[in-house]
Amino acid sequence: MNSYFNTNIEFDHSVFYNAINQCIIKKRKGYVCVIDANVLTLAQKSPGYLEIINKALVNTCDGSSIAWLAGLVHRERFTALNGPEIFSSLIEKEYKQLLVGSTVTVKTKIKEKLLKKGKNDKHLFYMPLPFLGVDEFDYQVIANEINELQPEIIWVSLGAPKQEIFMSKLLPHLNS
């Protein structure tokens, strides 16, 4: 992964997806961050948050303006790969997947969309979280439940910067 604006970002979409697939195949653990202007700005203002972002397995760019600026600086053409694109491309795959922090309404909408496409949702699981500050979660208890389920992909939906901090605090407690 290359550094742009002091932040690790992978603009090659095939390299990005390959990093995720290899992690799943080898049963390794890691987290992925989708870098938009908000995340990039927060990372520049907070060294601790920047460290969390840069320790990710792989990051991608979710903003065409960031891709354009990075391309301008490095004299290359970069394209963004946004969160919804990533979600759409992976949610239909038969990987065992867990939606963490999302609402029941969102889970129901995902299930309905899959069913309309003729896909099932047997590979999808849901874990609601209480509304707490990022330092108030019991990460070991959450990880125990996740480790029992053994998902191959975990989708964390808490909003930035909370979800990136949450992932970094949860990761040490996960088996894979």
Side-chain angles (χ1 to χ4, degrees), residues 19-173:
I20 294 169
N21 288 326
Q22 287 302 309
C23 191
I24 293 169
I25 290 167
K26 294 178 179 178
K27 298 197 181 299
R28 292 185 9 233
K29 59 183 180 177
Y31 56 90
V32 173
C33 300
V34 181
I35 310 297
D36 62 9
N38 179 49
V39 170
L40 186 61
T41 301
L42 291 170
Q44 302 311 309
K45 291 179 178 182
S46 168
Y49 186 60
L50 178 62
E51 183 178 358
I52 288 169
I53 298 298
N54 285 337
K55 283 186 175 180
L57 170 73
V58 65
N59 298 322
T60 189
C61 171
D62 189 3
S64 58
S65 60
I66 297 170
W68 178 78
L69 281 172
L72 196 62
V73 169
H74 295 275
R75 294 189 170 101
E76 291 184 53
R77 187 178 188 296
F78 296 123
T79 56
L81 178 61
N82 66 44
E85 284 179 87
I86 298 163
F87 187 79
S88 293
S89 71
L90 294 175
I91 199 68
E92 293 181 14
K93 296 193 184 282
E94 292 296 318
Y95 296 130
K96 192 174 194 180
Q97 300 181 50
L98 176 63
L99 306 169
V100 175
S102 199
T103 65
V104 174
T105 304
V106 170
K107 181 190 183 284
T108 302
K109 285 181 183 179
I110 293 167
K111 179 181 178 173
E112 288 170 357
K113 284 184 180 185
L114 287 172
L115 293 175
K116 281 182 184 176
K117 289 183 173 186
K119 309 276 184 178
N120 72 51
D121 68 331
K122 304 282 187 247
H123 63 292
L124 294 181
F125 299 86
Y126 168 71
M127 177 188 282
L129 291 175
F131 186 77
L132 296 171
V134 74
D135 292 323
E136 297 176 67
F137 290 106
D138 188 332
Y139 289 96
Q140 187 59 63
V141 169
I142 295 167
N144 289 346
E145 194 173 328
I146 292 171
N147 288 333
E148 190 174 311
L149 182 62
Q150 300 177 342
E152 295 166 291
I153 295 177
I154 302 167
W155 298 97
V156 178
S157 179
L158 299 173
K162 187 175 183 178
Q163 63 196 17
E164 292 82 11
I165 298 167
F166 178 90
M167 292 184 299
S168 73
K169 289 179 174 281
L170 181 64
L171 187 68
H173 303 283

